[in-house]
Amino acid sequence: MDVVSLICAGEHTHTHWRFRLDELAWRDMVDLLRQDDLPFVGLWCDGEDVHALFLPDGQPLAATLRLENGRYPALSPARVVSSLYERVIYDLYGAEAMWALDVRPLLDHDVWSASAPLSAAPGRGGQHKGILAFQPSDALLAAKGRVEDVGPATGSAVPPFYTRLVLSGGVVANAETQTGYAHRGIAARSRHARVEDACRLAGRVAAGSSVAHQVAFCQAVENACGARVGAEVALLRVALLEMERLFHHLYKLAALARLAGVHLVASHCMALREKLVAQAAPVTGSRLLMDVCTPGGVSLREASQMGDLCASLYELGRQAYPQLALLWREYPGLAVVLGNVGRVQADELERIGLDGPVARASGWDCDGRRMIPAYEGLWRYTSGRQDGTAEDRALLLLDEVEESLRMLDLAAARIGLNAGGSTPLSMEDGEGIGLVEGPWGGVLYWVRLAHGRVAEAFCRKPETSALLAFEQMLPNHAAEDTALLACSLGMNAAALDG
């Protein structure tokens, strides 16, 4: 029996793609997953049950297990990325993953006002208010060499997560991170929230992927209600997703060039981005494209001008892109600096579940846009990179900038003057998922509606797997390449911490 058959043999629930297993069946599922390549999406808890979501052939399939005395068999022995989800579940709900690979806290480092704050009976908070102590693994403690710390308290302009490096012979021998500094309580704020408020929160999980989170959340709510938006709304969302990809990639390319010491290229990237953002903001209503989607529709300041906006963005980009691409590819030394950082193979990324541009630059054929009907006739696969270095990732981002411009040009001719509108939603009790391809990979939301509000929500985001990739790739790099590697993998502390 394979994993899909085992899950489908479980007890049916009100959601046709979710099945309830007993503990023995759950353990059998974990054992089978060791040899099964079933795509794993995520693991989450609602206080009573733990849920594991998979995507066989692009369709959702979830297994549910009732917690027994606040415990459940860990999934991490079979899917290493689930260790991060297990640590989050323990921090938020106090539910313990038995036989887990890593039981260290991920978010709560004994400084919160209450432990297990989302559980039915939160415990007392830690005794170290405002003072975080690093908790290394046994492997890091056993590593020999000079220790170097990089993080929020080291005085440099780095993202809010802590990295401890053990150096040997001038390069990193071992490394681990500590997150939680940017935790904002998104999960707690979303529980029992109005759907519109939860959508606003989703748009603030990751600033550079705001539209992707909004659209995925809205799709999940719409699927829970058994509704489908019209073709015009779906097309407007595609246009917004590609605008965001365009803005994000230019910003990220500028950051990579800056970290590589090539400020001229960085300034060209930011100059083009600023022109595009300034052109879009009066129509969309937001420079960061926040609050532009609502369940059942879109929320744009001037929806009737979206077609013209797409055309003008394409024209601006068409004039500036060739010079920018030539400058990037021919600037002396840039390719050498990036080419020596962060090489990773596709099979390793597939093992930890990191998709998006990082995986495509390593030769893994993965792009969620092929599964979205609204992209039909617009999208075409962008890849050709195989070596998986920071240079390959940067060049893929550069290629995708051109592709997003091309898609906006095609969308401009399809968006009518009466674009917009909304689909009324019943807001009946139910569950749904939504999946889109964000700038750094797949963004998926699972939402459960109850009494017209969001009872529970779970978000799968690429930043989770990016943390594992970052830790695994740091060895054999120079310490000064840490920030460059993190940037090329799409590390985002705020998105990771939630």
Side-chain angles (χ1 to χ4, degrees):
M1 178 181 288
D2 61 10
V3 178
V4 172
S5 300
L6 186 148
I7 294 175
C8 292
E11 178 186 345
H12 288 261
T13 67
H14 293 297
T15 304
H16 70 274
W17 43 263
R18 186 168 62 83
F19 300 85
R20 182 173 293 278
L21 306 182
D22 59 26
E23 184 174 332
L24 288 179
W26 182 277
R27 291 190 185 186
D28 289 340
M29 178 187 74
V30 175
D31 289 338
L32 288 173
L33 282 169
R34 297 174 190 268
Q35 289 82 37
D36 198 310
D37 60 357
L38 182 66
F40 171 69
V41 175
L43 182 76
W44 71 95
C45 181
D46 59 17
E48 297 181 352
D49 299 318
V50 64
H51 312 273
L53 180 63
F54 305 90
L55 276 182
D57 301 320
Q59 300 301 313
L61 178 66
T64 295
L65 176 69
R66 178 74 64 177
L67 294 173
E68 185 172 345
N69 298 321
R71 305 169 78 188
Y72 63 97
L75 204 61
S76 52
R79 290 292 186 273
V80 63
V81 69
S82 68
S83 66
L84 297 178
Y85 296 113
E86 290 164 359
R87 294 163 67 185
V88 169
I89 289 171
Y90 184 80
D91 287 348
L92 297 180
Y93 293 93
E96 181 183 356
M98 298 182 290
W99 309 292
L101 295 182
D102 193 342
V103 296
R104 293 174 298 155
L106 190 73
L107 301 177
D108 179 13
H109 301 287
D110 207 28
V111 297
W112 287 358
S113 59
S115 62
L118 299 189
S119 65
R124 293 183 59 188
Q127 304 303 313
H128 303 92
K129 298 297 184 292
I131 304 175
L132 271 66
F134 179 65
Q135 301 182 43
S137 68
D138 293 340
L140 191 70
L141 284 173
K144 304 295 184 181
R146 179 171 61 87
V147 174
E148 185 169 315
D149 299 323
V150 181
T154 55
S156 55
V158 295
F161 64 88
Y162 172 85
T163 306
R164 174 164 290 183
L165 308 173
V166 178
L167 304 177
S168 177
V171 298
V172 177
N174 205 329
E176 285 181 354
T177 61
Q178 180 163 285
T179 62
Y181 298 90
H183 180 67
R184 295 157 290 165
I186 297 292
R189 294 168 186 265
S190 298
R191 296 179 84 197
H192 313 303
R194 294 190 311 139
V195 172
E196 297 80 4
D197 294 337
C199 185
R200 285 175 55 85
L201 283 172
R204 285 155 175 78
V205 171
S209 304
S210 180
V211 177
H213 282 264
Q214 291 173 67
V215 173
F217 176 86
C218 290
Q219 287 180 355
V221 171
E222 291 151 10
N223 288 330
C225 296
R228 179 175 295 180
V229 298
E232 282 282 3
V233 170
L235 184 58
L236 286 174
R237 288 178 175 177
V238 164
L240 290 167
L241 284 166
E242 293 310 312
M243 286 182 198
E244 176 172 76
R245 199 179 320 277
L246 184 61
F247 302 163
H248 170 276
H249 284 3
L250 287 170
Y251 183 89
K252 192 58 62 173
L253 286 167
L256 286 169
R258 193 177 301 112
L259 288 169
V262 185
H263 296 277
L264 175 63
V265 177
S267 65
H268 275 71
C269 292
M270 287 303 291
L272 175 56
R273 180 185 183 275
E274 179 57 31
K275 289 179 181 179
L276 296 170
V277 168
Q279 188 82 7
V283 176
T284 62
S286 170
R287 286 176 57 89
L288 294 178
L289 299 179
M290 290 185 176
D291 307 326
V292 294
C293 293
T294 57
V298 294
S299 178
L300 299 168
R301 181 178 294 171
E302 301 289 347
S304 62
Q305 297 181 22
M306 278 293 289
D308 292 338
L309 173 60
C310 291
S312 63
L313 292 179
Y314 167 74
E315 189 59 31
L316 276 173
R318 184 187 64 82
Q319 295 174 9
Y321 177 82
Q323 181 182 359
L324 175 62
L326 182 65
L327 179 64
W328 184 282
R329 291 186 170 95
E330 295 191 355
Y331 195 91
L334 179 57
V336 174
V337 173
L338 297 177
N340 290 326
V341 172
R343 186 183 301 275
V344 63
Q345 301 300 316
D347 56 351
E348 179 60 24
L349 295 173
E350 195 167 2
R351 186 181 72 86
I352 63 177
L354 180 55
D355 54 6
V358 177
R360 292 196 289 274
S362 296
W364 181 12
D365 181 358
C366 58
D367 194 320
R369 288 175 287 184
R370 62 161 46 94
M371 297 186 295
I372 301 177
Y375 271 100
E376 187 175 350
L378 297 177
W379 172 84
R380 65 186 183 191
Y381 187 66
T382 306
S383 185
R385 309 292 166 190
Q386 300 288 331
D387 292 338
T389 66
E391 181 193 11
D392 291 290
R393 295 190 280 276
L395 290 174
L396 182 62
L397 296 185
L398 196 61
D399 291 342
E400 289 192 352
V401 165
E402 185 178 25
E403 273 299 293
S404 292
L405 288 169
R406 184 190 63 83
M407 282 189 272
L408 288 175
D409 182 42
L410 294 176
R414 302 186 183 188
I415 298 175
L417 294 177
N418 296 321
S422 63
T423 300
L425 302 179
S426 62
M427 294 302 172
E428 296 179 357
D429 294 359
E431 299 175 26
I433 68 165
L435 173 65
V436 301
E437 182 73 14
W440 275 121
V443 175
L444 180 143
Y445 273 80
W446 167 84
V447 172
R448 176 187 290 156
L449 300 179
H451 311 297
R453 288 177 173 257
V454 175
E456 299 284 346
F458 164 76
C459 174
R460 181 273 181 197
K461 43 195 182 289
E463 289 81 6
T464 304
S465 296
L467 177 65
L468 281 184
F470 176 66
E471 287 187 341
Q472 293 178 13
M473 293 165 63
L474 265 174
N476 299 318
H477 281 82
E480 55 267 24
D481 290 335
T482 300
L484 184 57
L485 176 61
C487 183
S488 76
L489 293 174
M491 287 283 293
N492 186 321
L496 180 67
D497 292 344

